[in-house]
Amino acid sequence: MDIALEQVGYTYAAGTPFQKRALHDVNVRIPSGSYTAIIGHTGSGKSTLLQHLNGLLKPTAGRVRIGDTEVTKETKGKQLKPVRRKVGIVFQFPEHQLFEETVLKDVMFGPLNFGVQEEEAKARALRWINRLGLPEGTAEKSPFDLSGGQMRRVAIAGVLAMEPDVLVLDEPTAGLDPAGRKEIMDLFYELHEQRDMTTILVTHSMEDAARYADHMIVMHDGTDVLQGPPGEVFGDAERLAGWRLGVPRTVSFQRLYEEGAGLPHGPAALTEEQLASYLAAHLGEGGSAS
Amino acid sequence: MMEKMVFGRYIPGDSFVHRLDPRSKLIFVFIFIAAVFLANSTLSYALLLAFTLLSILASKVRIGFLIGGLKPVMFLIAFTFLLHIFFTKEGDLLFELGFLKIYEEGLRQGIYISVRFLVLVLMTSLLTLTTSPISITDGLEVLLNPLKKVKFPVHELALMMSISLRFIPTLMDETDKILKAQLARGSDISSGTMKERVQAVVPLLVPLFVSAFKRAEDLAIAMEVRGYRGGEGRTRYRQLKWDWRDTTALLILLAVIIALWFLRG
Amino acid sequence: MERILSLQDIRFSYTPDDPDSRFAVDGVSFDMQAGEWIAVVGHNGSGKSTLARLIIGLLFPQEGTVGLFGDPLTEDNLWEKRSQMGMVFQNPDNQFVGATVQDDVAFALENNGIPFGEMTLRVQNALEQVKMDTFLDHEPHHLSGGQKQRVAIAGALALRPRLLILDEATSMLDPQGREEVIRVILELREKTGLSVISITHDLEEALLADRVVIMNGGRKFAEGTPQDVFLKGEALTALGLDLPFAMRLSALLKEQGIPTEPGTMTERKLVEQLWTLHSNR
Ligand SMILES: Nc1ncnc2c1ncn2[C@@H]1O[C@H](COP(=O)(O)OP(=O)(O)OP(=O)(O)O)[C@@H](O)[C@H]1O
Ligand SMILES: Nc1ncnc2c1ncn2[C@@H]1O[C@H](COP(=O)(O)OP(=O)(O)OP(=O)(O)O)[C@@H](O)[C@H]1O
Ligand SMILES: [Mg+2]
Ligand SMILES: [Mg+2]
């Protein structure tokens, strides 16, 4: 399902003395099946943009195309429910949305709301609780008796159980320890690969963007300023610095090395493995750089 | 809609009224409220209205903004006005149209009550518009201090008030976030039967309570770590200063009350 | 040098009456000298926050003693000891008590009965230290996360503490906010010689410490200079911890047949070795 925003603008509290323009003239396309990372400094409009992807916000200007549904400021609330079934959002600190007596019921909440039958919803819920690596017996526990990291997984299971075509993630790993962070990011990547699920990740981590994404959107002061593959986006550190953004640690290390060694800038190394191979190619026997 | 409300909102500024001590403003408003009930003649109501308008001028709050923001209240005032006009049947008949009969006394009472209502609303709004909530709390705490003698928890109440005020915007953001998260999971508050709608509120309220409790717990710990253990032995960072302005304001009010007394019918 | 903190075999359980309960902190001991900077790292639920709460007397251990500034911490000297410590928590929103920046910084001073004249000076001074002195009258919901955390640090500093405890003070911030806060703390350390215990998941932050304590399931797994501790390599990864970037890269280079000196922790050291390799090639 392709998603496209055309000339989208959004103003909070429009028409009051407290109005705040958060987006203007946004034109982006998110190809079906892609893993798209959205980056931008604080307040650049990432979260506002993301809420347009399933009709939680309607643009105050322009239009949003989600598959074959078009959302403009005139679109009625009722028409948006089918869109929300297809596009699942994992918000920042999603554990704050848990409310049911048991984990199972909470995970079933989404599917039931979208008309999935009780039996099927239950089967799905159990499947996803298991898939997120939660220990045996978690389903019957109260979500409020779990640790922070486990609550996070339950909340994510609750979104995945809706089995959306598009998965939108707003800083999904904030506050987790490094191992937990990696597990969850790897899980999202696996789902993306196995189910060909379009994945959209909003993140402050340039490393995650570089490692997982195949397409990137850079936001600055409420509009999109650059779109392209990570290799291209992270190729020009100076341009990114102008938008108050950095490059992944691998790239900054690579540039440091190249400059000290008097070498020209090579293609940006997006992962530590790539960086190691790149350095090995330079330093390896014979020293011939590939 | 909420954004246009004036009631309970504070607009920072630097006028004579803004610079008054919150204590004098509170005393002023309380006495004024009592004094309003002295008025009973056209002249005395005219004086009240004029004095209120002068106070607004002294505060430099835009009258248009005040009136615009008080629309919901204006509606109420208009309603009471009409009630009096139609239901008081004393004095000369002024106007007749079919069923509709308007008597002189009705018109008079309608105007009196509306003016009374209006000046009360304007003056109290002026208090909140020119005094930050935290100053009001401070003023109240100091004014109520004598009640400590009878074991009334003045300090605790004031602290509670200031913390609630400080958390209102945070909780509003939180509500918005949780609402959106549940909407994204297909929850629907705006349609369905009454029962369904009430049920749809649960996914919103439970997380909100959980988060409010969590915040309260965190806050209590943060306060304890910073050495908070009740009002005993505390000093105050916010100092209230009573100066010539405050005395002047209260003297003017006194003069108005004396004048009101003489203008009574 | 003066020893300001000494933990002796402390044990703590949140549910001591439950027979099969686990200790959240289980037999931990370590000392801290004045002016030292200690980083505490460990997986979620490893007992880091519990440890911090035991030090500042929010909790008392069921076994063992917490020694602070030369005496054991007791119910009687709690408030006096606590007035010499400051603590900053994870969530910027939940520790802002005052209505404005200056009120918040003054809060601890008011509680400790500091006279008004002195208070204004200290508030100003503390806010200067965290570069927030132009925000005196700002309300919390108009501040960024990084700014709120700096105010929280100022609130702790205003009391002129001898020990500052940061419990994941940067973990809810964006990179910019995190950098602001870390820069402020580094500067403080240089200028004031303040002792700091910093609980963190960020290993690059831990590398800046004099000493690292690694927690695992309530126990102290290791303690030592960052150099010594991170040399354990694989053992740390098994605990769910990360290794510093330079170490991870060194390991990958080794697989590719590029040897680097063992124990290279910083990017600077690593790149220098690579430069040398490059020019000797
Ligand atoms: N509910 C709201 N009401 C008014 N203004 C808002 C609201 N939400 C966001 N804004 C403003 O809109 C702008 C864009 O905010 P947004 O949350 O989309 O940024 P972001 O890129 O997600 O930032 P962050 O990285 O901090 O999450 C900001 O200036 C913000 O202050
Ligand atoms: N208030 C509490 N009541 C009961 N158990 C608790 C409480 N707080 C923490 N625990 C438990 O104590 C253990 C240690 O928790 P602690 O919060 O100290 O870990 P942490 O290392 O700070 O973790 P994190 O990285 O998630 O902050 C955990 O198993 C946790 O579930
Ligand atoms: Mg955001
Ligand atoms: Mg903790």
Side-chain angles (χ1 to χ4, degrees), chain A residues 200-226:
Chain A
I200 300 162
L201 170 72
V202 167
T203 183
H204 282 297
S205 162
M206 300 304 140
E207 287 74 24
D208 283 349
R211 169 171 286 272
Y212 297 107
D214 49 37
H215 181 67
M216 288 185 67
I217 298 172
V218 183
M219 296 292 294
H220 179 67
D221 285 349
T223 196
D224 58 298
V225 286
L226 181 65

Side-chain angles (χ1 to χ4, degrees), chain A residues 27-209:
Chain A
N27 290 288
V28 300
R29 212 177 77 81
I30 297 166
S32 186
S34 72
Y35 193 130
T36 300
I38 304 179
I39 62 170
H41 62 80
T42 300
S44 58
K46 303 182 297 294
S47 299
T48 309
L49 174 67
L50 176 152
Q51 291 172 48
H52 282 83
L53 302 180
N54 75 347
L56 283 174
L57 292 178
K58 290 182 275 184
T60 48
R63 58 173 159 255
V64 181
R65 240 192 276 279
I66 306 162
D68 33 57
T69 314
E70 187 173 278
V71 183
T72 64
K73 68 170 176 255
E74 275 92 24
T75 309
K76 295 270 175 310
K78 277 211 174 56
Q79 291 163 265
L80 295 171
K81 203 163 168 180
V83 172
R84 295 200 182 127
R85 200 197 66 70
K86 288 187 200 144
V87 183
I89 298 195
V90 176
F91 282 95
Q92 228 168 354
F93 301 104
E95 57 273 27
H96 294 168
Q97 73 199 29
L98 301 177
F99 71 98
E100 276 287 11
E101 292 152 54
T102 66
V103 167
L104 181 67
K105 281 191 189 170
D106 207 290
V107 177
M108 285 165 68
F109 180 67
L112 289 179
N113 279 331
F114 287 117
V116 175
Q117 292 307 308
E118 183 95 21
E119 280 305 299
E120 163 69 6
K122 190 170 171 186
R124 276 196 201 177
L126 290 171
R127 194 161 68 231
W128 284 106
I129 290 170
N130 186 18
R131 184 77 170 77
L132 273 139
L134 288 159
E136 200 67 28
T138 308
E140 298 310 324
K141 282 196 185 158
S142 157
F144 300 106
D145 286 343
L146 304 177
S147 75
Q150 290 173 332
M151 282 168 83
R152 175 82 50 101
R153 283 161 204 258
V154 170
I156 292 173
V159 175
L160 289 174
M162 290 159 36
E163 312 210 321
D165 300 337
V166 179
L167 183 62
V168 181
L169 309 162
D170 193 355
E171 293 270 345
T173 59
L176 295 182
D177 62 22
R181 216 174 300 167
K182 184 163 184 317
E183 267 173 46
I184 290 198
M185 289 309 293
D186 284 347
L187 172 76
F188 288 136
Y189 191 68
E190 252 177 63
L191 292 174
H192 165 72
E193 294 276 277
Q194 288 168 2
R195 310 182 148 236
D196 205 24
M197 183 154 67
T198 311
T199 306
I200 300 162
L201 170 72
V202 167
T203 183
H204 282 297
S205 162
M206 300 304 140
E207 287 74 24
D208 283 349

Side-chain angles (χ1 to χ4, degrees), chain C residues 213-226:
Chain C
V213 170
I214 294 185
M215 294 290 294
N216 179 40
R219 293 171 177 275
K220 185 176 82 178
F221 177 80
E223 175 193 349
T225 61

Side-chain angles (χ1 to χ4, degrees), chain A residues 42 177 249 257 272 282, chain C residues 43-44 174 248 267 275 281:
Chain A
T42 300
D177 62 22
R249 189 161 251 139
Y257 167 75
E272 286 164 15
H282 271 284
Chain C
H43 60 83
N44 287 129
D174 58 290
R248 292 196 307 261
E267 292 178 35
W275 285 337
R281 213 182 44 193

Side-chain angles (χ1 to χ4, degrees), chain B residues 21-24 26-27 131-145 154 158 236 238 240:
Chain B
D21 187 295
R23 285 169 300 178
S24 65
L26 282 163
I27 297 174
T131 325
S132 69
I134 193 70
S135 299
I136 295 184
T137 313
D138 282 336
L140 274 176
E141 179 176 358
V142 177
L143 286 177
L144 295 180
N145 229 357
V154 177
R236 289 182 66 90
R238 288 177 162 267
L240 301 176

